[in-house]
Amino acid sequence: MPKVIGIGPHFYSALKQKGLDKDFQPKVFLKSFLGVIPENKSIRIPDEADHTLAEVEVAVKIKNTCRNYSAQQVAKYDCIGSYAVCGDLTAVGDNVSGEGKLYDTFTPCSPFSLDAPTVHTTLEARLNGKLMQQASLSDMGMNINECVAYISQILTLEPGDIVLTGTPAGAFQINHGDTIAFSGTALGNVTYHVD
């Protein structure tokens, strides 16, 4: 089964918000592939969570196997097949498991597209219509190819794997009954109800 791998923080705004230096080495984490859901599905908050946070990211789907590659090799060997806008959800609390990332429905994702984002691509997240996050990809401390290369130094990326490439500052809390929307220039716009 394909895997979902995330990375962060590395957006400059997120590092600043967390009080981290620009040379901070981002962490890599795994998520369940069953957490990836299309727009017609609802997000479920686990009972054991004290609260749940959401943030917007660019997701990429791996096309060709990638291991110990540089960013230049990621491009040369056509490792990335398609792109999407997605949410990365995290349950917080003493009783949650897997860093709060492993729950079903915790990676809501738009359909994947061949249109690659650029440094001018703007990511946005809205909660009940209110803008919560907004940043262009020029805020990334590592570009998308560098994110994939960084992860490939740790584990093999295989066709069908999904890489979440990090989020800007402004992760926000979601609650039962909320509506959240994630959008990215040329990547689409998806909306979800929180059960």
Side-chain angles (χ1 to χ4, degrees):
M1 175 178 284
K3 52 193 176 289
V4 180
I5 310 100
I7 184 173
H10 66 84
F11 273 70
Y12 295 124
S13 59
L15 292 173
K16 182 178 180 181
Q17 184 182 47
K18 294 174 182 290
L20 300 171
D21 295 332
K22 290 184 178 180
D23 60 355
F24 175 79
Q25 292 294 304
K27 306 300 181 185
V28 172
F29 56 87
L30 290 173
K31 302 190 76 175
S32 168
F33 200 81
L34 296 175
V36 180
I37 57 168
E39 191 170 20
N40 62 343
K41 301 291 185 181
S42 295
I43 291 167
R44 298 191 306 274
I45 294 177
D47 293 338
E48 60 268 28
D50 293 339
H51 60 274
T52 299
L53 300 175
E55 51 198 24
V56 64
E57 310 203 11
V58 173
V60 301
K61 187 174 285 185
I62 299 300
K63 178 180 178 182
N64 292 315
T65 299
C66 179
R67 175 63 173 154
N68 288 324
Y69 278 3
S70 66
Q72 293 75 20
Q73 289 172 312
V74 168
K76 178 179 179 180
Y77 296 114
D78 206 16
C79 291
I80 299 172
S82 51
Y83 305 82
V85 63
C86 73
D88 176 24
L89 276 57
T90 307
V92 179
D94 293 338
N95 296 317
V96 301
S97 300
E99 298 184 4
K101 299 280 192 181
L102 291 174
Y103 293 96
D104 290 350
T105 78
F106 265 36
T107 313
C109 196
S110 75
F112 281 83
S113 165
L114 297 178
D115 296 328
T118 70
V119 293
H120 304 294
T121 295
T122 298
L123 295 178
E124 292 185 351
R126 294 179 182 271
L127 175 65
N128 301 322
K130 180 181 178 181
L131 183 64
M132 304 301 288
Q133 283 183 291
Q134 184 181 58
S136 76
L137 297 192
S138 62
D139 186 38
M140 296 179 84
M142 302 168 67
N143 66 37
I144 290 173
N145 284 353
E146 288 170 339
C147 289
V148 171
Y150 183 88
I151 293 170
S152 82
Q153 306 302 312
I154 300 169
L155 76 168
T156 301
L157 295 171
E158 300 173 298
D161 287 349
I162 293 174
V163 172
L164 311 183
T165 60
T167 191
F172 56 97
Q173 186 171 334
I174 61 173
N175 296 291
H176 299 289
D178 283 340
T179 298
I180 56 176
F182 305 105
S183 64
T185 312
L187 294 172
N189 187 324
V190 286
T191 301
Y192 295 87
H193 179 74
V194 183
D195 282 348

